[in-house]
Amino acid sequence: YVVGRAATATSESKGGVVSSEPPSVLLQAGEQEEEGEGSVADETGAEMSDKTVALITSSLWDLMELPSSQRKACIDLLLQVATNVVENPDISRFQSIRASNPKFQAAVGGDTRPVRALKAMGFAEKAGVFSVHPSVETAYPRLWLAKSLLE
């Protein structure tokens, strides 16, 4: 992938596709992946489509535009969240974060980009709580990729 403001390149079975839109336009959180797309496997062999990889990459790339102190807090928080779930998938307290959490508030600071990144990583918000959605097993490949990119 070439991820940036000018163009994003992806490959599909029908040949290369170049879009001037950021990767997030290709697959919004919650969209279904299409059969026959290219894919990437995580350490467990679980696969994600090229569009999902582009969504995660794009949402994390957008964090680079945050002010430096907020960017550091945001990246540290997202890395901690992803690491906790990846390394402890059976511990339920690591599978959610309250929007009212002071560390979350410092990282988000009213900006939508950190929330978009969290959703791209496999979290959904309900009643002020972001939880792994729909399950750790389903979100694990996204979390593993996000952790790898953030490290």
Side-chain angles (χ1 to χ4, degrees), residues 85 92-98 123 129-132:
V85 177
S92 61
R93 70 182 177 108
F94 291 137
Q95 297 174 17
S96 63
I97 185 167
R98 290 174 290 113
F123 283 78
V129 178
F130 289 88
S131 301
V132 175

Side-chain angles (χ1 to χ4, degrees), residues 86-142:
V86 167
E87 293 180 359
N88 306 287
D90 297 326
I91 300 177
S92 61
R93 70 182 177 108
F94 291 137
Q95 297 174 17
S96 63
I97 185 167
R98 290 174 290 113
S100 62
N101 178 306
K103 285 186 179 181
F104 183 86
Q105 289 294 315
V108 173
D111 198 301
T112 59
R113 290 171 286 197
V115 171
R116 181 173 168 259
L118 196 60
K119 288 180 177 180
M121 291 168 50
F123 283 78
E125 181 183 14
K126 184 174 181 181
V129 178
F130 289 88
S131 301
V132 175
H133 180 76
S135 67
V136 172
E137 294 78 23
T138 304
Y140 188 90
R142 290 174 175 240

